[in-house]
């Protein structure tokens, strides 16, 4: 069975500082990995996804994530935080060989990012 | 494109009342999902559908029923609402599973008194 652990339910950074949101996964087969973002009072939207091509994945709004198989991690980073980055971020995992008709996407519990001016 | 539309956006129910949440998508997606989001719990899958006329249970299906009579619509029903069902409900859709991205609706906030 697959699972996702997001370390830290709340993270605070100063504006302009590095953003690092941690995600570790477990999966018995090669995974697909996703980061979604949820702004206040909105649904989730995709930031980026890893599907076994390049291990460093670039997403929207300057975010990127690196797939590290040896560490079973997919941490999300952004070099310089902006006030508009304040949101909740969710890591998710699914198995690369999910059969047609099945559904196995698992979300982490989320990390709320606060940006301090 | 409207994407995924959920109605209603807000609803207050009394314990024991019934209601239906409607989800509509205009992207011709095969897969549709209902999640609930509670503080500190992340998103939990209630039910999902891999095509018109099919439904399947997710992680937390008890107390809910669903129907997918038309490809574009996915209904979530509460037959006898309980305070434990107070939550924000999200509908999502995708072309398929695997690497396919989910498109989410804006959410429906339900309070059961």
């Amino acid at each position: 069975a697959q699972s996702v652990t997001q370390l830290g339910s709340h993270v605070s950074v100063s504006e302009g500082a590095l953003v690092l949101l941690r995600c570790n996964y477990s999966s018995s087969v090669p995974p697909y990995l996703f980061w979604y973002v949820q702004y206040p009072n909105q649904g989730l939207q995709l930031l980026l996804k890893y599907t076994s091509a390049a291990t460093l994945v670039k997403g929207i709004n300057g975010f990127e994530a690196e797939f590290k198989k040896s560490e079973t991690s997919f941490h999300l980073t952004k070099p310089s935080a902006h006030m508009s980055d304040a949101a909740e971020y969710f890591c998710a995992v699914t198995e690369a060989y999910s059969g047609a008709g099945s559904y196995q996407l698992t979300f982490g519990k989320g990390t709320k990012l606060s940006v301090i001016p | 494109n409207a994407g995924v539309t959920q109605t209603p956006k807000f609803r207050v129910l009394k314990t024991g009342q019934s209601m239906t949440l409607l989800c509509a998508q205009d992207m011709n997606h095969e897969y549709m999902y209902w999640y609930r989001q509670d503080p500190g719990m992340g998103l939990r899958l209630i039910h999902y559908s891999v095509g018109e006329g099919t439904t399947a249970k997710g992680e937390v299906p008890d107390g809910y029923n669903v129907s997918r009579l038309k490809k574009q619509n996915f209904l979530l029903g509460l037959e006898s609402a309980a305070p434990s069902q107070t939550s924000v409900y999200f509908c999502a859709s995708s072309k398929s599973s695997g690497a396919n991205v989910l498109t989410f609706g804006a959410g429906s906030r339900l309070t059961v008194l």
Side-chain angles (χ1 to χ4, degrees), chain B residues 32-105:
Chain B
M32 296 187 75
Y33 319 86
W34 276 108
Y35 287 91
R36 60 178 289 173
Q37 183 178 30
D38 303 289
M41 303 293 288
L43 274 79
R44 292 182 291 171
L45 182 66
I46 304 171
H47 286 280
Y48 67 99
S49 168
V50 301
E52 181 179 315
T54 72
T55 63
K57 294 180 180 180
E59 180 185 355
V60 289
D62 293 343
Y64 305 95
N65 56 76
V66 288
S67 65
R68 183 103 182 265
L69 298 179
K70 293 183 178 181
K71 185 177 183 178
Q72 64 267 35
N73 295 338
F74 195 30
L75 278 63
L76 178 71
L78 286 71
E79 289 187 349
S80 179
S84 62
Q85 294 177 304
T86 294
S87 187
V88 181
Y89 292 85
F90 286 97
C91 177
S93 70
S94 65
K95 279 187 182 178
S96 182
S97 61
N100 282 269
V101 175
L102 271 62
T103 301
F104 283 83

Side-chain angles (χ1 to χ4, degrees), chain A residues 5-103:
Chain A
T5 302
Q6 291 185 238
L7 297 175
S9 58
H10 288 88
V11 170
S12 292
V13 299
S14 298
E15 191 174 16
L18 171 72
V19 176
L20 171 61
L21 304 181
R22 299 179 187 274
C23 172
N24 287 90
Y25 69 92
S26 68
S27 176
S28 57
V29 298
Y32 292 144
L33 293 156
F34 307 80
W35 276 100
Y36 284 84
V37 60
Q38 183 181 32
Y39 298 105
N41 300 313
Q42 295 185 26
L44 281 70
Q45 58 185 271
L46 182 74
L47 265 182
L48 50 81
K49 68 177 182 180
Y50 165 77
T51 58
S52 76
T55 56
L56 183 63
V57 182
K58 295 187 184 300
I60 61 171
N61 301 335
F63 284 94
E64 62 182 36
E66 186 172 9
F67 171 68
K68 291 188 176 180
K69 183 178 178 180
S70 61
E71 299 177 8
T72 60
S73 68
F74 191 56
H75 302 330
L76 182 70
T77 60
K78 182 174 180 178
S80 176
H82 192 272
M83 296 298 293
S84 61
D85 295 328
E88 190 158 18
Y89 293 80
F90 293 90
C91 184
V93 63
T94 190
E95 294 182 350
Y97 304 129
S98 296
S102 68
Y103 176 69

